[in-house]
Every structure is written in structure tokens, then in C-alpha cells.
Amino acid sequence: MNTEKIIKAGKIASEVRAYAKKIVEKGMPLLEIAENIEGKIVELGGKPAFPVNLSINNIAAHYTPEHDDKTLAHGLLKVDFGVHVNGWIADTAFSVDLENSEENKKLIEASEKALDSALTLIKNGVSTSEIGESISKKIESLGFSPVMNLSGHEMDEYELHTGISIPNVNDGKSIEIKSGLYAVEPFATNGSGRVKDGRPSGIYELISNRNVRNSIAREILEFIEKEYYNLPFCSRWIIKKFGTKAIFGLRQLEESGNLHQFNQLIEISGSKVSQAEHTILVEKKDVKIVTA
Ligand code: MN
Ligand code: MN
């Protein structure tokens, strides 16, 4: 673990979160919000660890604007972004109510309070199911349900999801938390508490660097390998670099098994979802909330 770089990524993430809370407003194009946030990360000396996710209402996660996206911010908006410094990641998220809805505000409070209760528990030696249980109990005590099939995760250098999961319910697995870097991210919903795959998101990750014949596909593959390694990226970023001919190249790379494209994640009953997330560095005898 490179503590110094993790702390730096966390400080940038925290500053960017404050900036994002200030600029996001109803009616603003999601494309503009994403580009402003990603630009701010770079301005402060980091790089986006993945494309900014701006998921509205019943879309729980994995919505990032397309290069020509016209969607305007509205409803219950989740802003989820990551910063990396030389591959060391800080992952954080918050939710915002853009329609002055009491229910949205309560849902947002539920995921925030659940995150707080998980953060008071997490340390070396605590089990993942204890954390999951504290999250679900808190959300249920406020009248909502946790999203059971979404979870927090361990991270490592250039690895956004690796190692163990941090569940949002008691999953009975009781894995002991050890020193490491973790993202805790409760999701609260007024629906049934599960997500299913939705439409393709335009968010990809590299899964194989096997050779491809097509020249634009090969050019894109080389760029991804040296720019993003194993971290997620999106078609918007690739189109910005290569122009719209990149759409064909990305399709080729997906068909050849070089890239995996994530789907949007949609609440199964079509209900609203809120999210709160922080990154935590668990050390032998200490715990640091790096994105606080
Ligand atoms: Mn996140
Ligand atoms: Mn995360």
C-alpha cells in the first residue's frame, strides 16, 4: 500500500466532492457535470479512476454520459467518482435531490446514516457480515431497504474491485477485514432492494490484450493499455481522443473479447435508489477515512 498516494487521492476526491455539490443543479446537462468533475480531478493533480457515474432515480449505478448525451440532471441523482494517483484509488459518492422531494431526502439520509454506522465499525478484525448487518439495520430502521446485490469492495493499485466485498446486508460470509483499502457504499431504496442489468453503459474495462487486426481497434487497444491499465474507462473518453470512428473500434474490441462493457444497473421494481460512499484505509491499529 502506498499510503502517501492514497491520502493524496483521498484529499483530491474530498475537494472534488465539495466542488461537485456546489455546481450540480437541476437542468444541467449530465455531460457538463461529468466533464467538469473529471476536469477538476485532473486540475488538482489526480486522474479519474473511472468515468463519473451520474445515475438518476431507479438507475442505481453505471450511468455515464455518452459523448452526445442530452440528459439533464433531475430527480434523485447519484454522483459517484474516483480519483487515482499513480494507480492508488479513492472512490466516493453522494446523492442529491433535484426535485424537492421529501422521500428523496429521506432516502439520501438513509444511505448516509448507514455509511456512518459502517464507518464507526470498520477496523482490522471486524467481519464483513457485521458491517453489512449494521448497514441494513440502519436503512431498515429508517423505513427503506438496502440494495442487497450491490456491495462495497476492496481496492489495490490499479484495481478498482479486487479481494473481498463489503456487503450491504449480513450475507453470512463473515470474512475478517484485514489491513487494506476498502470502499463502503450503502444503497437505499423504497423498492424491493435488488438491481438487474439494464442497457449497455458505454463503460468498459480491458480483459485481454490479444492482438486485433483492425487498425483503429489496435490503436485504441494500445491507448487503453498505457492510459487506463485495468481501470474502467468510457466511450466518451475514447471518442474525445480518436473521434467518432472510435465507436467502430470499440465494437470490434468488444466482439474480439478484448473489452468487457458494463451494463447499467437498474432497481428491479423501478424504484428510486440513493447511495453514499467513502474509501477507508484499514491499518493494523488505525483506520483512516481517506475521502472524508
Ligand atoms: Mn464509487
Ligand atoms: Mn465503489
Side-chain angles (χ1 to χ4, degrees), residues 50 80-81 89-93 151-153 155 160-161 182-185 187 275 277-279:
F50 53 87
D80 186 345
F81 64 92
I89 304 165
D91 181 3
T92 188
S151 59
H153 48 97
M155 295 178 280
L160 181 60
H161 294 101
Y182 300 92
V184 180
E185 48 184 311
F187 291 80
Q275 177 200 15
E277 180 176 23
H278 273 308
T279 292

Side-chain angles (χ1 to χ4, degrees), residues 252-279:
Q252 289 277 305
L253 288 167
E254 200 180 349
E255 278 168 13
S256 61
N258 292 81
L259 297 182
H260 167 70
Q261 183 173 186
F262 295 92
N263 288 316
Q264 294 173 8
L265 295 172
I266 317 287
E267 211 284 329
I268 51 167
S269 53
S271 302
K272 288 179 175 180
V273 179
S274 71
Q275 177 200 15
E277 180 176 23
H278 273 308
T279 292

Side-chain angles (χ1 to χ4, degrees), residues 132-150:
E133 177 141 326
S134 80
I135 288 172
S136 66
K137 283 234 166 100
K138 180 53 81 179
I139 292 173
E140 282 159 5
S141 77
L142 294 165
F144 300 110
S145 300
V147 176
M148 288 173 278
N149 58 340
L150 287 175

Side-chain angles (χ1 to χ4, degrees), residues 25 42 47 50 106 136 146 187 193-194 235 265:
E25 58 182 22
V42 172
K47 283 186 176 179
F50 53 87
K106 284 182 184 155
S136 66
F187 291 80
R194 298 189 80 82
S235 54
L265 295 172

Side-chain angles (χ1 to χ4, degrees), residues 49-51 64 201-207 220 223-225 228-238 250 253 258-260 262:
F50 53 87
T64 199
S201 66
I203 303 170
Y204 299 83
E205 82 184 352
L206 182 66
I207 49 174
I220 292 170
F223 177 74
I224 291 162
E225 283 182 285
Y228 308 125
Y229 304 83
N230 294 322
L231 293 173
F233 62 91
C234 59
S235 54
R236 174 166 51 83
W237 292 353
I238 302 298
L250 283 170
L253 288 167
N258 292 81
L259 297 182
H260 167 70
F262 295 92

Side-chain angles (χ1 to χ4, degrees), residues 7-245:
I7 299 294
K8 185 176 176 194
K11 279 209 174 107
I12 294 170
S14 172
E15 232 177 286
V16 172
R17 193 178 51 233
Y19 164 79
K21 281 184 176 172
K22 216 161 45 182
I23 64 157
V24 169
E25 58 182 22
K26 187 182 162 82
M28 191 172 176
L30 294 187
L31 186 58
E32 196 180 321
I33 296 174
E35 289 189 333
N36 280 330
I37 291 175
E38 290 163 1
K40 194 68 172 178
I41 292 170
V42 172
E43 185 190 315
L44 294 175
K47 283 186 176 179
F50 53 87
V52 174
N53 282 218
L54 297 168
S55 309
I56 293 174
N57 292 342
N58 63 321
I59 304 177
H62 293 174
Y63 186 102
T64 199
E66 293 284 350
H67 72 288
D68 55 356
D69 202 298
K70 299 278 184 279
T71 312
L72 306 179
H74 68 277
L76 200 175
L77 174 68
K78 288 142 311 266
V79 179
D80 186 345
F81 64 92
V83 175
H84 82 86
V85 173
N86 299 104
W88 294 101
I89 304 165
D91 181 3
T92 188
F94 66 93
S95 302
V96 54
D97 164 43
L98 298 174
E99 56 191 358
N100 228 337
S101 145
E102 271 316 303
E103 173 130 85
N104 288 352
K105 290 189 172 78
K106 284 182 184 155
L107 268 170
I108 292 168
E109 192 188 7
S111 52
E112 285 173 353
K113 290 238 161 106
L115 177 58
D116 287 345
S117 75
L119 295 185
T120 59
L121 268 183
I122 192 166
K123 64 175 182 183
N124 194 3
V126 167
S127 89
T128 54
S129 25
E130 270 177 80
I131 294 170
E133 177 141 326
S134 80
I135 288 172
S136 66
K137 283 234 166 100
K138 180 53 81 179
I139 292 173
E140 282 159 5
S141 77
L142 294 165
F144 300 110
S145 300
V147 176
M148 288 173 278
N149 58 340
L150 287 175
S151 59
H153 48 97
E154 194 171 351
M155 295 178 280
D156 207 337
E157 190 178 14
Y158 286 108
E159 298 279 358
L160 181 60
H161 294 101
T162 190
I164 65 170
S165 294
I166 311 291
N168 289 324
V169 291
N170 181 346
D171 61 357
K173 284 191 183 154
S174 278
I175 300 162
E176 201 176 292
I177 302 261
K178 299 209 170 70
S179 300
L181 187 64
Y182 300 92
V184 180
E185 48 184 311
F187 291 80
T189 179
N190 52 10
S192 52
R194 298 189 80 82
V195 291
K196 61 176 183 190
D197 280 342
R199 293 165 53 193
S201 66
I203 303 170
Y204 299 83
E205 82 184 352
L206 182 66
I207 49 174
S208 160
N209 50 11
R210 84 166 64 111
N211 255 332
V212 281
R213 206 170 291 173
N214 177 270
S215 68
I216 176 69
R218 197 182 323 127
E219 224 184 306
I220 292 170
L221 181 62
E222 280 165 11
F223 177 74
I224 291 162
E225 283 182 285
K226 79 169 196 324
E227 195 61 32
Y228 308 125
Y229 304 83
N230 294 322
L231 293 173
F233 62 91
C234 59
S235 54
R236 174 166 51 83
W237 292 353
I238 302 298
I239 290 167
K240 187 174 266 180
K241 169 83 185 165
F242 293 94
T244 46
K245 66 179 194 273

